[in-house]
Amino acid sequence: MDIGLVAPTMSKIKIAVLVIEDEAPIRRFLKMTLTSNGYEYSEASTGQEGMLKVASEKPDIVILDLGLPDMDGLDVTKQLREWTSVPIIVLSARGQEKDKVDVLDAGADDYLTKPFGVAELMARARVALRRSITSASGESQSVFKFGDVEVDFVKRQVTVLGKELHLTPIEYRLLATLIKYADRVVTHNHLLRDAWGTEYSGETHYLRVYMAQLRRKLEKNPAQPKYLITEPGVGYRLKVS
């Protein structure tokens, strides 16, 4: 992987970012922040303008506000996901868990609530870009490692410090889904669908039980997990970056 693709200030290659945001002060702030970090900046103040620019400019990443004047950012996300897999990071003043769940389920890569920190935004952008580059390469990993854990997808084998660990089929499916979306929030409904089936949507108590079991098996300190992170009211994230 070319480090320039995820750290634009270290390379002549510039990552193109499109900001879809109706508030001019926030656009100015993001322009200053992103250009100073080596990104090539473009902007749109409405959802329609933003979608046209995604089509014409083909940015590497989109930063999207939910409260746009002509249409909701959730609808922008849904329409973009009909034809593009460009990473989308949502910024919004809405702090309700349902808003986060809806936009993540619609295909957004991540969600930050205003006000947000520059360092956190840059970190989320790097993660989304890494995932995008990996997906575009077409390469699939047969072995995934984090901490002392190694997952061999061909053998369907999980080891901790080289010692084989027994996971139930549901535990394995949950872990595999979290690995597939490593460093991204995976919503409750998504995990329930992948592990149990669509008819179990809403049965979040199942997840609490099985995630607790996974933490006991994979985390050094299950009460303070380092990798299997809870996103309250939304879902879970496998933190590996």
Side-chain angles (χ1 to χ4, degrees):
M1 182 187 298
D2 183 351
I3 189 66
L5 292 173
V6 294
T9 56
M10 297 176 66
S11 169
K12 293 181 181 179
I13 299 173
K14 282 198 173 186
I15 300 299
V17 57
L18 171 65
V19 172
I20 306 175
E21 163 68 62
D22 66 320
E23 294 186 45
I26 295 178
R27 291 201 305 272
R28 286 194 295 270
F29 168 74
L30 287 171
K31 182 177 182 179
M32 179 183 66
T33 298
L34 292 162
T35 54
S36 66
N37 278 275
Y39 289 82
E40 184 177 292
Y41 179 87
S42 181
E43 65 181 37
S45 59
T46 68
Q48 289 292 343
E49 181 189 6
M51 288 191 291
L52 287 172
K53 284 198 170 185
V54 172
S56 62
E57 298 178 4
K58 295 180 174 55
D60 297 297
I61 188 168
V62 172
I63 296 176
L64 170 68
D65 181 35
L66 286 187
L68 297 169
D70 59 334
M71 59 191 302
D72 195 275
L74 175 61
D75 294 320
V76 174
T77 302
K78 289 177 179 178
Q79 291 186 39
L80 288 176
R81 281 295 174 256
E82 291 176 358
W83 58 275
T84 179
S85 59
V86 63
I88 299 172
I89 297 179
V90 168
L91 301 179
S92 179
R94 304 177 195 171
Q96 296 298 315
E97 291 167 355
K98 185 179 184 303
D99 293 317
K100 297 180 183 180
V101 170
D102 287 347
V103 78
L104 290 167
D105 276 342
D109 292 77
D110 218 329
Y111 189 114
L112 284 175
T113 303
K114 298 175 183 177
F116 55 89
V118 170
E120 185 175 13
L121 173 61
M122 293 297 98
R124 301 285 181 92
R126 288 192 296 271
V127 168
L129 286 163
R130 276 198 298 269
R131 286 191 54 82
S132 176
I133 293 161
T134 301
S135 299
S137 72
E139 298 177 359
S140 59
Q141 290 180 284
S142 62
V143 176
F144 188 92
K145 299 178 182 179
F146 62 96
D148 299 327
V149 180
E150 182 174 302
V151 181
D152 188 319
F153 291 107
V154 175
K155 298 179 181 177
R156 294 179 65 86
Q157 183 181 75
V158 181
T159 58
V160 178
L161 292 172
K163 184 178 179 181
E164 187 173 354
L165 182 70
H166 172 72
L167 295 184
T168 68
I170 286 179
E171 289 170 349
Y172 181 85
R173 287 198 294 270
L174 284 173
L175 180 60
T177 299
L178 288 166
I179 288 172
K180 181 180 179 181
Y181 299 98
D183 282 315
R184 289 174 58 184
V185 180
V186 187
T187 64
H188 294 137
N189 283 342
H190 190 151
L191 287 166
L192 286 163
R193 183 180 66 244
D194 281 11
W196 284 276
T198 54
E199 66 271 24
Y200 285 88
S201 175
E203 303 289 348
T204 55
H205 59 285
Y206 286 1
L207 280 177
R208 287 194 295 271
V209 171
Y210 278 87
M211 289 301 296
Q213 292 174 187
L214 269 178
R215 283 173 174 151
R216 284 196 292 270
K217 293 179 178 181
L218 301 178
E219 297 274 8
K220 289 182 179 178
N221 183 357
Q224 294 182 314
K226 183 178 179 181
Y227 303 106
L228 300 171
I229 308 300
T230 298
E231 297 285 345
V234 180
Y236 295 90
R237 182 195 302 264
L238 177 63
K239 186 177 181 181
V240 295
S241 294

